[in-house]
Every structure is written in structure tokens, then in C-alpha cells.
Amino acid sequence: MKTQTMETFVFALGGLGEVGKNMYAVMHEEEIVIIDAGVMFPQDDLLGIDYVLADYTFLKENEDKIKGLFITHGHEDHIGGIPYVLNHLNIPIIYAPKVASELIKNKLDDRGVNYKNIVIIDEDIKPKFKYFEIEFFRTTHSIPDSYGISIMTPNGRVVTTGDFKFDLTPIGPMANLGKMARIGEDGVTLLMSDSTNALVPGFSTSESDVDEALSDIIRGCKGRIILATFASNIYRVIHIIETCRKNNRKIAAFGRSMINSIEIAKSCGLIKDKSIFITSDEANKSKPQNVCLLCTGSQGEPLAALSRIANGTDSNITLMPDDTVIFSSSPIPGNAMNINRVINKLYLKGAKVFTTSNENDIHTSGHAKQDELKLLLRLMKPKFFMPVHGEYRMLKAHADLAKECGMDDTNTFVLKNGDMLSLLNGHVKLSEKNVPINDIYVDGKRIGDIGSSVIRDRKTMSTDGVLVVILNIDSNRKRLMLDPNVTTRGFVVVNENQELISNIQRKVKGIVLSEFKKNSLNVTDLKNRIILELKSYIIDSTGRRPIIIPMILDSKSN
């Protein structure tokens, strides 16, 4: 008698409806494989939050099913959550590309996480489990050692691209188009593909064109060069180093992430000429035309090296009027104002500034644009399609591209984190099951215990401030020992609002005396009444809603 095949489930714990915290899972019976474990940097409304993690609660509840964590590449939105996940989940093995594995090890060391079972992947390694057979195919991205992943399940093949682009003249290895086509010929049941640039027409600029544009600018500079780029774009860093070598410039690196990336590139054999690097002291003593300062801060980050240089607060480097500053990057959404602020300061101090434009093509995205996404769909020829890694408008645009390539509308799935797809005998449908999802916040050393109420209070404090009422009472004799003391932070200036403060004090005193008339005094009830009545009065008087904190000191008499 033939055994009935059970369903295979595919779902995202993070990465849908957002750019960041990528974390996906494939589950069949008692086995789960996880793909990536990234972080997302908080928006402005998440006050005090350092990182946002994907919700791994479901994985914790099914910890015994986890067979391994598979990493596509080494960017923060794909590996940044690993130290936190390992502190809460038993992951038996991590499979990661070489550069990503070095970055992961650095993160684990920084967080004091002891984990040794990291296996370096390439296109030849093929992990096998009871239900899953996995293989990797090389892709092109802005960081070396980027891979897509093919997962053969009992109900068909699931493929995820990771982040990718098609670059026919890359600096570094070509994407393995032949293997992608072979996988497509073998049959792809479900494709999950990067949607970051799904709204952008055309084909992305080759990294070789960027290299040429940067080379032209560097050759033409007579003074010192200060060049800011993404530290994780190791291929770009390698181009810059090689161009500086050809133009007799030494390089001094600034910014922790830039220095770490260079050290990893050295250890992986990607940077061979180590004599080109000099210290900041050596850079200051060298002729300006022989120096390039390679630094972080391309996004205008206030504490990054370039911002310190622009502000004149860097302890090592002082901006000179004939300096040329190059931004080899594009603004991440939300950062344009910070970048412009830094650029204005650089101009004010006499520096010449280059940013990417129609005249200066000194940056290209690592994510596929529309024509590249179509090419991938043609190579893979999936039966069903689930766009990932993008805001909903990006996911929807990517699904529309799949329809342009001949895919039936009912075979594309624009989902939310926690939605589950069910694979059964080569067919895919939206499951009635789902995974409850709540973002996990990292706040310093606190992880996951920062709820929405805390965030809401922080927002209130940031806009309306705090009002603290201090009462010193004798609950036994039912009397106030002193008049109520009212202090505020971020609400009003006490000295300039004496009438308001006096009215609040009188109102509090009246509430306390009223409570004293009751048979018994309940301190909790007293606090709640103060909060409720003051809140109403303050809203009517000022239109603001400060957080009200009563503090009651009880000097009980015998």
C-alpha cells in the first residue's frame, strides 16, 4: 500500500513587507531547515532600539526539528541576528560561505557566544537529511561568496536566490548561469527571489563600469582623497585598493567595520598586497597626493569616520581645503538628510565632493533590477513564485514581473511574515496554518522583553515629557507630611509655568485629602486616581499628554 505524502511547509519569519531581518524556513514532518538570520535597523519611531530581529518563537517551540541554518551571504540583514538566535536556540550546524563565516565568527566573538560548528559551503557541498537534499549555486552580489540555495523536498524543489544581480563583467567570479539553468531544467516547484529593486527598470550597472569611473576620478585628483563606501562591499574595497596601487597612493583605513572587512578580505586571500596600508600617523606625514583615506560614513552616520572628519572632531584626521571626498554609495531610504548635512560641512571647509550621478557612475546596486529578475525567472522556470526581501510594493511589482514572464496569477504569492505555503505532490497553495509573528527588539543587553507599551511610553516621553508627583504621607494618621512636590522633564519649564504647577499641586493635595476620608487608604488606588484626574486636567489645560508618575513615600507613625 502506497504511503501518503505529507505536506512540506515554507514560511518567512522575517523579510516580507520590509527590507531586512531575512529569515525563512522549510519544514517537513520532523525536520526544519532555516535560511538566513538577519537583523533590521530600527526606524525613527522605535526609540532606543538597536536592532529588530525576526520572531524565532516558532523555531524555539520546534527546536528538536532544526537540522541547520543555511546562510546565503554575509550582509547584516542575513547574518546579524545569528548571535542572538544562538543564545536562545540550539542550532546543530551552520552552513555559510567563507567570507560570511568569518564575519559570523567576529560577531560571535564580540558577543561572547561560543559556537564552533560552522561549515564553509561551496558549489560542491551537498548536505543531505532525511527529507531534504541541498545544493548551492554561485551568484553575484556586492559581497564576495554569495550563493543561492536549492532544497529538494518530498514535494518538489524550493529555490531561494538570496540577494543577487547579473553582472556580465564582474570583478570577481561570474554567477553560475549554467547551474541556474540546469536547476531550472530539472524543475523548480517554488522560487523565492530577491525583490529589493523590483520597481527599478532595466539592467544594473556593472561593477567594472563603477571601477572605471572611480579610476578616472582618482587619477585626476592632485591632493588627498577621502573615500567613503559600504564596508561590506568588499569587491568595491578591493577595486579601490588596486586603483590606489596603480596611482601610487597608500591607504589608511578608518572605522571599525571597514578595518574588519579589510582584515577578513586579507584572511580570505582577496587582498594580497598588504604593504599598501599605512597608519593614520603615516598618512598625516605623507604627501597628500600619495594618500587615500578609506572610511565608513557613506550614509552620514553621526559617529562614523567621515562625519567626524566633516565635523572636525576626528582625533587623527583634519580636513584640508584641497581634499577630494568621494561617496561611492547611494543613499539608503531615510538617510538623504544626514548625507546632505555631511556634504554641506565638507563643502564649507573647501573640499571637493563627488557623489554618484549621471556624470559620475561611482556606485551600483548589488540587487537585480527588473530585466535581471525576468532573466532569473526565465532561467529557473518555476511553477510557483513567492517574492521575498522587500516592502509590499516591491513584492507586488516582482509578482507582476513573473506574470509578464508567463506565470499564472494564481501561482504567485505575495505574503506576510508568518504566512505558510503548503507544498504537496508538486502543487503549492496558501495554507490555513500560520506562524504568529511579533518583532523582537534588541535594546542594549535586553532582548525580547521590550514590549509595545515600552515603545509607546518612550514616544510619549519624546513628545510630551514626564511629570513626577512626589508625596510624603503618614498613612496611619492620614496626613500629608509636606505639600506635594511636582517636577517635570520635557513637559514644561517649571519656573516659567508656576501657575500650572501650583494648580497641579492643589489638585493632587485635594485628591490625597479626599482619599484620607475613606475608611482605609489604598496606595495603588491613590496613584491611579492621581494619574487619571491629572491626565484629564493637563490635557484640558495644555493639550499635551505627559507620562504621569506618582511617587508616594509613607512615613507611618505608631
Side-chain angles (χ1 to χ4, degrees), residues 249-318:
R249 288 184 184 268
K250 297 288 187 179
I251 291 175
F254 294 88
R256 184 184 180 194
S257 58
M258 182 65 72
I259 292 169
N260 284 345
S261 288
I262 289 172
E263 290 304 313
I264 286 171
K266 288 178 184 176
S267 68
C268 293
L270 297 168
I271 296 176
K272 295 180 172 60
D273 181 9
K274 300 175 184 178
S275 65
I276 195 169
F277 297 101
I278 57 176
T279 65
S280 57
D281 287 340
E282 290 171 326
N284 286 328
K285 294 173 184 176
S286 301
K287 294 179 180 179
Q289 64 268 29
N290 296 133
V291 173
C292 174
L293 309 180
L294 185 57
C295 63
T296 56
S298 65
Q299 298 302 301
E301 305 96 315
L303 299 180
L306 185 58
S307 293
R308 296 197 307 270
I309 292 169
N311 292 329
T313 58
D314 192 272
S315 58
N316 298 304
I317 298 298
T318 301

Side-chain angles (χ1 to χ4, degrees), residues 394-407:
M394 301 169 186
L395 304 180
K396 179 63 168 62
H398 201 173
D400 290 340
L401 292 177
K403 295 169 198 171
E404 289 180 30
C405 292
M407 181 164 285

Side-chain angles (χ1 to χ4, degrees), residues 148-162:
I149 302 175
S150 168
I151 305 171
M152 196 64 186
T153 80
N155 288 296
R157 187 189 302 272
V158 176
V159 173
T160 180
T161 62

Side-chain angles (χ1 to χ4, degrees), residues 225-482:
I225 293 172
I226 302 172
L227 201 156
T229 191
F230 295 112
S232 62
N233 195 338
I234 294 177
Y235 281 135
R236 182 78 49 79
V237 172
I238 294 169
H239 308 166
I240 293 163
I241 292 168
E242 181 60 21
T243 302
C244 286
R245 187 187 64 77
K246 291 177 181 177
N247 288 274
N248 298 314
R249 288 184 184 268
K250 297 288 187 179
I251 291 175
F254 294 88
R256 184 184 180 194
S257 58
M258 182 65 72
I259 292 169
N260 284 345
S261 288
I262 289 172
E263 290 304 313
I264 286 171
K266 288 178 184 176
S267 68
C268 293
L270 297 168
I271 296 176
K272 295 180 172 60
D273 181 9
K274 300 175 184 178
S275 65
I276 195 169
F277 297 101
I278 57 176
T279 65
S280 57
D281 287 340
E282 290 171 326
N284 286 328
K285 294 173 184 176
S286 301
K287 294 179 180 179
Q289 64 268 29
N290 296 133
V291 173
C292 174
L293 309 180
L294 185 57
C295 63
T296 56
S298 65
Q299 298 302 301
E301 305 96 315
L303 299 180
L306 185 58
S307 293
R308 296 197 307 270
I309 292 169
N311 292 329
T313 58
D314 192 272
S315 58
N316 298 304
I317 298 298
T318 301
L319 200 68
M320 296 188 285
D322 58 348
D323 283 343
T324 296
V325 181
I326 303 171
F327 285 79
S328 184
S329 60
S330 60
I332 293 172
N335 290 345
M337 188 178 296
N338 289 338
I339 296 170
N340 289 336
R341 190 178 296 119
V342 171
I343 291 173
N344 283 329
K345 290 177 181 178
L346 293 168
Y347 271 117
L348 281 170
K349 294 186 178 181
K352 185 175 183 179
V353 181
F354 286 90
T355 59
T356 191
S357 64
N358 292 333
E359 293 77 28
N360 301 304
D361 210 352
I362 53 178
H363 178 69
T364 183
S365 174
H367 300 273
K369 295 183 181 179
Q370 288 182 354
D371 286 348
E372 296 156 271
L373 297 175
K374 292 176 185 177
L375 174 56
L376 189 279
L377 285 160
R378 294 297 190 187
L379 286 170
M380 290 290 180
K381 297 182 286 191
K383 294 179 182 177
F384 299 88
F385 179 56
M386 172 183 168
V388 297
H389 194 343
E391 298 170 5
Y392 286 116
R393 60 198 176 105
M394 301 169 186
L395 304 180
K396 179 63 168 62
H398 201 173
D400 290 340
L401 292 177
K403 295 169 198 171
E404 289 180 30
C405 292
M407 181 164 285
D408 194 291
D409 186 32
T410 58
N411 288 10
T412 65
F413 301 93
V414 178
L415 304 182
K416 304 185 298 296
N417 293 328
D419 288 343
M420 277 187 165
L421 288 182
S422 164
L423 283 69
L424 184 62
N425 298 324
H427 186 78
V428 180
K429 67 176 183 178
L430 182 62
S431 174
E432 294 180 359
K433 299 179 181 179
N434 62 74
V435 178
I437 295 291
N438 291 291
D439 286 344
I440 296 175
Y441 299 134
V442 178
D443 183 353
K445 294 184 178 181
R446 299 170 61 198
I447 302 170
D449 61 345
I450 305 98
S452 58
S453 60
V454 174
I455 301 298
R456 187 167 58 250
D457 284 349
R458 289 179 180 179
K459 290 178 184 176
T460 301
M461 285 190 282
S462 73
T463 55
D464 292 331
V466 180
L467 183 142
V468 180
V469 178
I470 303 173
L471 293 172
N472 196 325
I473 66 171
D474 181 340
S475 58
N476 285 345
R477 295 186 178 181
K478 294 186 177 180
R479 65 176 182 174
L480 268 168
M481 306 298 291
L482 297 169

